[in-house]
């Protein structure tokens, strides 16, 4: 088994995603979503804001985190440019980078709000003003553009900014960290791109600021003038006292175990902890990140991979609190769960992390964008009365560009490489060039996943090589089979492949010759899912899943009154691919029942239960909801055993 230090994700530029499902979505992301977000950056004044300082600009006053919207768009564009030249997009990126660079101050500082609106208030409200968060996204954009295209222009700018931050914060300098984690994981990326260890040390410093007593955020609140403390009072205090949980300041990071507070912050913080722990060998940091992941996924995660049951804090409630129609489940939080799960896999290889990553990706994340790529969800409830719809943009616009950058970088989540080891995590089709020790190995992947569980891999090492090929068997999959060069694996080989030490993967340990083929077949039945009995929101409910996809009912197919539908135990459920529906999806159909109200006369209560009448139902993948006529939607149905 590869060790954490030697197992690495295969970089995006060496991966082509080519299966029909993802090729379509990545093309929509490139041709529709990324241009649509750019239009919004123009129309809302986010790009012109960089011209305000010299009198050439026009438009509304910048907001605190506009830099992060522009940065995430650049990052998304960079990933697509890594895969496909696009002169028009490249020109838009160059223009955005020039605008950003034009406001960099002589000392390296770079933030449009604190340069053009409130220059005297730099670094005065770390708890709620997102200054280091914006810096983190700028850094991620600079690294992405450099790694994807070799263009150092933004990397050099953000490295100067990071140097300024490093000169400002750290041991013997200022204490403090950002209320919204992000700079931590960004500095690790900058360290990996530049090999400058100060950035890694600064990331660790920021992590270690959390949970100190007296709290840095509480002390800061005490020093803020009242006119600057509005957000802090709203989010960082409860009943007049400092509440450290909202921004994960309740304990030093190595002592943290529970997913609390704002869900995106919690995921980004834990991702940064895993990054620093992996780089420095700090096992306690990784272990704490893993406990936070276990708390989130074991007791607080929606079946869609969404996180956050509480709207008031955009975050976690108590364990097992999972209301469906009132779910917050911000798109960014599901993205954060993808980021964290991916890092934890590389710390402790185990299929459970990729199972969660895949659940979040195909459901909680993918629902965040319409099929046409131009409308977005911020909140992702699991039921709707018909009034929740995607929007072209949001005033707080974190989700659309975050989603665009995740989809554009999907390839980097699909494979990992190590000495004599190749991992296939996601069945996305296409091709990947792996470096396994000193041998380059190309993997060709053909599949119609997630609609079909058959995957064909062709292994092409540059020379014959002994190598372990790890293929993920998703946790939802009840049965699988494998053939190598057309020969089904014998029982003894099956047992050996399963007992290889990475749970959730089958390992094919053999001498590979160019052109060897592997056919993996994952059984993909329709499955009923039930929630933990401690969740009052889920008791008596059932959800449908097929492969990695969670399903839902929509009024468009089923008429109104979805809450009255009951799915009897044992009712057969059919699945079929409908290429004319929603761009081509597998739909589920079943004979269900509906609570009758037609014979209900004479009041609110009676002594006999409502009658049931049989009726057909049709379910579609959750990610595809709200793409037709507006109406009700429901994931969790009533269960009748
Ligand atoms: Zn968001």
């Amino acid at each position: 088994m590869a060790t954490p230090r030697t197992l690495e994700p295969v970089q995006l530029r060496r991966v082509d995603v080519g299966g029909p499902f993802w090729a379509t979505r990545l093309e929509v992301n490139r041709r529709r979503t990324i241009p649509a977000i750019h239009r919004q950056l123009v129309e809302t004044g986010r790009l012109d804001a960089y011209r305000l300082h010299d009198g050439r600009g026009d438009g509304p006053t910048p907001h605190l985190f506009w830099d992060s919207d522009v940065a995430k768009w650049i990052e998304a564009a960079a990933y697509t440019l890594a895969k496909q030249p696009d002169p028009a997009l490249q020109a838009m990126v160059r223009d955005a980078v020039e605008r950003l660079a034009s406001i960099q101050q002589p000392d390296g500082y770079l933030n449009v709000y604190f340069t053009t609106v409130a220059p005297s208030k730099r670094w005065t409200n770390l708890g709620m003003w997102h200054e280091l968060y914006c810096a983190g996204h700028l850094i991620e954009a600079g690294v992405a553009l450099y790694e994807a295209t070799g263009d150092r222009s933004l990397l050099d700018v953000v490295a100067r900014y990071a140097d300024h931050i490093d000169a400002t914060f750290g041991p013997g300098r200022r204490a403090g960290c950002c209320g919204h984690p992000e700079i931590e994981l960004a500095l690790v990326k900058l360290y990996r791109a530049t090999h400058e260890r100060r950035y890694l040390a600064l990331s660790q410093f920021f992590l270690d600021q959390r949970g100190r007593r007296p709290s840095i955020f509480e002390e800061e609140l005490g020093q803020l003038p009242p006119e600057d403390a509005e957000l802090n009072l709203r989010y960082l205090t409860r009943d007049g006292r400092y509440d450290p949980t909202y921004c994960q300041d309740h304990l030093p990071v190595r002592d943290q175990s529970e997913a609390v507070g704002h869900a995106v912050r919690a995921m980004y913080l834990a991702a940064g902890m895993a990054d620093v722990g992996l780089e420095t060998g700090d096992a306690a940091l990784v272990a704490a990140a893993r406990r936070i992941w276990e708390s989130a996924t074991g007791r607080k995660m929606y079946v869609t991979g969404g996180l956050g049951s509480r709207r008031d804090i955009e975050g976690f409630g108590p364990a097992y609190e999972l209301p469906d129609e009132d779910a917050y489940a911000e798109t960014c939080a599901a993205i954060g769960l993808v980021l964290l799960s991916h890092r934890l896999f590389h710390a402790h290889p185990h299929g459970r992390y990729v199972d969660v990553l895949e659940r979040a990706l195909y459901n909680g994340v993918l629902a965040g964008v319409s099929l046409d790529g131009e409308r977005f969800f911020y909140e992702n409830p699991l039921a709707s009365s018909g009034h929740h719809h995607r929007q072209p943009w949001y005033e707080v616009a974190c989700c659309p560009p975050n989603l665009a950058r995740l989809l554009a970088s999907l390839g980097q989540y699909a494979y990992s490489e190590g000495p004599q080891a190749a991992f296939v995590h996601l069945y996305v089709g296409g091709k990947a060039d792996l470096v396994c020790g000193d041998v380059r190995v190309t993997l060709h992947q053909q599949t119609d996943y997630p609609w079909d569980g058959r995957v064909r891999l062709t292994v092409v090492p540059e020379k014959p090589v002994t190598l372990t090929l790890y293929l993920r068997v998703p946790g939802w999959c009840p049965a699988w089979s494998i053939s190598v060069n057309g020969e089904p694996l014998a029982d003894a080989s099956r047992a050996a492949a399963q007992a290889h030490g990475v749970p959730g993967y089958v390992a094919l340990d053999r001498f590979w010759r160019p052109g060897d083929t592997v056919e993996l077949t994952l059984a993909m039945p329709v499955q009923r899912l039930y929630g933990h009995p401690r969740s009052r929101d889920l008791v008596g409910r059932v959800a449908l899943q097929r492969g990695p996809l969670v399903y839902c009912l929509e009024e468009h197919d089923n008429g109104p009154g979805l809450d009255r539908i009951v799915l009897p135990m044992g009712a057969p459920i059919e699945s079929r691919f409908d290429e004319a529906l929603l761009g081509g999806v597998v739909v589920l159909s079943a004979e269900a029942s509906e609570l009758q109200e037609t014979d209900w006369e004479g009041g609110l209560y009676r002594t006999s239960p409502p009658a049931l009448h049989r009726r057909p139902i049709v379910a579609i993948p959750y990610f595809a909801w709200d793409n037709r006529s507006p109406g009700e939607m429901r994931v969790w149905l009533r269960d009748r055993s």
Side-chain angles (χ1 to χ4, degrees), residues 16 64 99 122 130 252 258 261 343 367 411 445 484 552 587 598:
D16 291 329
L64 287 163
R99 285 170 191 257
R122 260 197 214 184
H130 290 72
E258 192 178 354
R343 285 159 168 81
Q445 192 193 121
V484 179
C552 68
V587 291
T598 51

Side-chain angles (χ1 to χ4, degrees), residues 531-563:
H532 193 285
R534 280 199 211 167
S535 174
R536 71 176 70 167
D537 304 297
L538 303 181
V539 166
R541 299 276 182 175
V542 58
L544 297 174
Q545 174 173 307
R546 180 176 179 274
L549 299 173
V550 173
Y551 276 72
C552 68
L553 267 56
E554 272 201 304
E555 183 176 335
H556 186 96
D557 305 299
N558 298 285
L562 299 181
D563 193 39

Side-chain angles (χ1 to χ4, degrees), residues 72 264 330-333 378 396-400 402:
K72 279 186 277 189
V264 183
E330 181 181 342
T331 305
C332 287
Y378 192 113
V396 174
C398 50
C399 298
N402 210 1

Side-chain angles (χ1 to χ4, degrees), residues 181-475:
E182 155 64 23
I183 185 86
E184 295 83 355
L185 66 88
L187 284 167
V188 176
K189 284 190 174 181
L190 187 61
Y191 158 67
R192 289 173 179 157
T194 62
H195 309 291
E196 174 54 72
R197 286 197 73 84
R198 284 185 297 115
Y199 302 141
L200 179 62
L202 183 59
S203 177
Q204 182 152 9
F205 171 82
F206 283 139
L207 290 176
D208 288 337
Q209 295 293 292
R210 275 189 152 67
R212 290 174 43 178
R213 293 295 175 267
S215 157
I216 50 169
F217 299 126
E218 188 175 10
E219 285 194 312
E220 180 181 81
L221 179 56
Q223 293 159 6
L224 281 174
E227 66 271 21
D228 291 347
E230 183 197 339
L231 291 172
N232 307 63
L233 291 169
R234 191 191 315 169
Y235 293 107
L236 301 185
T237 64
R238 194 168 292 261
D239 301 326
R241 297 185 53 182
Y242 175 62
D243 174 4
T245 57
Y246 176 80
C247 53
Q248 298 79 38
D249 186 37
H250 54 300
L251 286 168
V253 285
R254 287 171 195 75
D255 298 334
Q256 294 193 18
S257 293
E258 192 178 354
V260 296
H262 187 281
V264 183
R265 294 172 193 237
M267 291 300 101
Y268 284 19
L269 176 66
M273 291 159 61
D275 278 340
V276 172
L278 269 167
E279 289 295 342
T280 63
D282 187 337
L285 263 182
V286 177
R290 191 174 64 218
R291 291 194 301 272
I292 293 166
W293 181 91
E294 286 167 348
S295 165
T297 62
R299 295 179 287 283
K300 302 187 179 187
M301 181 180 75
Y302 283 98
V303 70
T304 52
L307 296 176
S309 58
R310 292 284 173 100
R311 175 165 287 106
D312 57 344
I313 58 165
E314 300 186 297
F316 295 106
Y320 306 110
E321 177 188 85
L322 294 162
D324 57 0
E325 190 159 358
D326 292 332
Y328 196 71
E330 181 181 342
T331 305
C332 287
I335 291 169
L337 183 56
V338 169
L339 303 182
L340 174 59
S341 301
H342 188 234
R343 285 159 168 81
L344 289 174
F345 173 85
H346 290 90
H348 297 283
H350 194 301
R352 66 180 184 155
Y353 298 115
V354 188
D355 285 347
V356 166
L357 186 163
E358 187 182 57
R359 178 176 295 282
L361 173 68
Y362 278 93
N363 302 287
V365 174
L366 203 51
V369 61
S370 58
L371 294 178
D372 70 9
E374 298 193 3
R375 290 172 299 128
F376 308 94
F377 277 141
Y378 192 113
E379 301 167 33
N380 292 275
L382 282 75
S384 169
S385 303
H387 307 295
H388 186 70
H389 306 296
R390 295 185 186 85
Q391 308 290 330
W393 196 241
Y394 293 87
E395 187 178 338
V396 174
C398 50
C399 298
N402 210 1
L403 193 142
R405 73 177 181 137
L406 183 81
L407 295 185
S409 63
L410 175 69
Q412 72 186 18
Y413 299 95
Y415 305 90
S416 296
E417 62 195 5
Q420 297 186 309
F423 280 78
V424 185
H425 306 301
L426 299 178
Y427 300 113
V428 293
K431 176 172 91 70
D433 294 315
L434 283 67
V435 180
C436 302
D438 55 1
V439 180
R440 303 180 85 83
V441 180
T442 300
L443 293 178
H444 298 268
Q445 192 193 121
Q446 286 176 285
T447 185
D448 201 16
Y449 196 93
W451 308 127
D452 186 282
R454 286 171 295 176
V455 183
R456 180 185 170 88
L457 291 159
T458 307
V459 184
V460 187
E462 60 186 353
K463 61 185 181 190
V465 63
T466 299
L467 176 78
T468 308
L469 179 63
Y470 292 85
L471 303 178
R472 178 168 154 265
V473 175

Side-chain angles (χ1 to χ4, degrees), residues 600-615:
W600 200 273
E601 288 161 4
L604 190 55
Y605 305 102
R606 73 181 196 194
T607 54
S608 61
L612 285 167
H613 87 109
R614 288 161 69 90
R615 54 156 296 170

